[in-house]
Amino acid sequence: MYKKGDFHIHSTFSDGKCSPKEIVILSKKREVDIIAITDHNSTSGLDEAIMAGEELGVRVIPGVELSTKYNSSRVHVLGYFKDDSYKNELLVEVLKNVKNHKVSNIKKLLGKKLDFCSTKDKLSVEAGIEILKFFGATVILAHPVLLRRSDFKKIIEMNFDGLEAKYFSNTEEDTEYFLKVASDRDLLYTAGSDFHSCKEFYRVHGIIGDVYLNEFEIYNFLVGGKFPYL
C-alpha cells in the first residue's frame, strides 16, 4: 500500500529546477512513495522519472498541467495518464501548440476528432478538459484556491473528474471547503505541493510531501480514477 502521495510536481522540463530523476530521489528522501510529474504543457520528462522511480521504489504517475483560460482568468488543468498514452505523438504535438499559444493549429491537428470552442490564441477550460480526456487522462482542476471563488463555482460545473482539494497555499478552511465540494459532487480529489525548487527566496510553492494524500486517500484516487493499483 502507498503511504504518502504528492500529485503536482514540476521538473526542468517546464519551470522546475530539479531534473525528473532528482525529483524521484528527493521524493524517496522525504518518504513520499507515489508522485506525479505535471510539467506545464509537456510530457517530455516522464520517461526519465518513471525509470528512476522503478529503480528507487517510487511510483510515478505520468501527468501534465495544461494552460487554459476562463474569461480573463488563467486556469490550470491537471491530466493524469493510466498508461503510456502520454507518449502519443498527436498529444505531444498538441501540447507544443498549447505552449506556443497556437490554438488554431490544435483545431487543425484534431480535425473532426473533437469539436470544441476556443478563441484563436486562448484554449478554453472546456477544450482543455476534452483534449485530455480524448487521450485517456483523468482530469483534475489544479489549485482551485488560486481562482476567484465566483469563477470556481462555475468552472467546477464543467466535466472535471476531480479537484486539487489539498494544496500548498491552502488554509485549513480552504482545504475543508474543497474537500466538501469533492464530497458533495462525488468528485475525486488530489493533493499537491506544486514543487518547483528547493531554493525559493520567497516560498510560493511547497517542497515535495508538504501536502499529501494519505494511504486511504491514495487508494480512493487510484481506484476512482481507474489507475492500475500496482
Side-chain angles (χ1 to χ4, degrees):
M1 298 286 284
Y2 301 106
K3 304 289 186 186
K4 194 172 181 180
D6 184 341
F7 297 91
H8 190 162
I9 298 171
H10 293 276
S11 81
T12 47
F13 282 86
S14 61
D15 55 347
K17 302 299 182 187
C18 294
S19 71
K21 185 170 184 177
E22 288 169 337
I23 284 168
V24 174
I25 292 168
L26 180 58
S27 300
K28 184 75 173 178
K29 285 180 180 175
R30 294 194 40 97
E31 299 182 331
V32 178
D33 55 3
I34 180 167
I35 64 171
I37 303 281
T38 53
D39 281 319
H40 295 287
N41 310 312
S42 174
T43 58
S44 299
L46 294 176
D47 283 342
E48 180 186 329
I50 290 166
M51 194 177 301
E54 288 170 355
E55 290 172 7
L56 295 171
V58 176
R59 168 85 177 272
V60 178
I61 302 286
V64 70
E65 187 171 17
L66 200 64
S67 302
T68 71
K69 282 274 191 176
Y70 176 76
N71 296 331
S72 61
S73 299
R74 291 191 304 170
V75 180
H76 288 173
V77 180
L78 294 161
Y80 300 98
F81 301 94
K82 303 166 186 69
D83 50 30
D84 65 356
S85 52
Y86 66 90
K87 298 182 183 183
N88 185 293
E89 289 181 8
L90 180 56
L91 172 64
V92 171
E93 196 61 32
V94 166
L95 292 175
K96 282 181 187 173
N97 281 281
V98 174
K99 204 170 188 176
N100 294 321
H101 309 289
K102 295 182 177 177
V103 176
S104 56
N105 285 359
I106 297 170
K107 291 180 180 178
K108 290 175 188 173
L109 284 167
L110 293 172
K112 295 178 180 177
K113 295 182 177 71
L114 283 180
D115 181 23
F116 64 81
C117 233
S118 275
T119 61
K120 186 178 180 183
D121 59 348
K122 293 178 183 176
L123 187 68
S124 70
V125 180
E126 295 97 328
I129 294 169
E130 277 196 56
I131 289 168
L132 289 172
K133 290 203 168 190
F134 177 75
F135 291 102
T138 293
V139 183
I140 301 290
L141 175 62
H143 38 59
V145 73
L146 302 184
L147 297 171
R148 285 191 294 266
R149 193 57 57 89
S150 58
D151 284 345
F152 166 73
K153 287 178 179 177
K154 292 174 183 174
I155 291 166
I156 200 60
E157 297 276 354
M158 298 175 192
N159 193 27
F160 284 100
D161 297 306
L163 70 160
E164 192 173 38
K166 295 185 170 187
Y167 183 69
F168 172 71
S169 60
N170 281 13
T171 63
E172 285 185 21
E173 291 76 18
D174 291 329
T175 299
E176 285 175 12
Y177 172 77
F178 292 121
L179 287 173
K180 187 174 187 308
V181 170
S183 176
D184 289 348
R185 292 181 171 273
D186 196 25
L187 293 170
L188 301 172
Y189 69 85
T190 61
S193 63
D194 204 356
F195 174 75
H196 283 68
S197 169
C198 289
K199 298 174 182 177
E200 287 186 5
F201 181 73
Y202 172 72
R203 186 145 293 285
V204 179
H205 309 102
I207 299 291
I208 294 169
D210 276 352
V211 184
Y212 60 90
L213 294 186
N214 63 30
E215 183 176 325
F216 174 73
E217 294 170 317
I218 293 165
Y219 178 83
N220 286 343
F221 173 59
L222 293 179
V223 171
K226 296 180 178 158
F227 296 90
Y229 188 70
L230 297 173

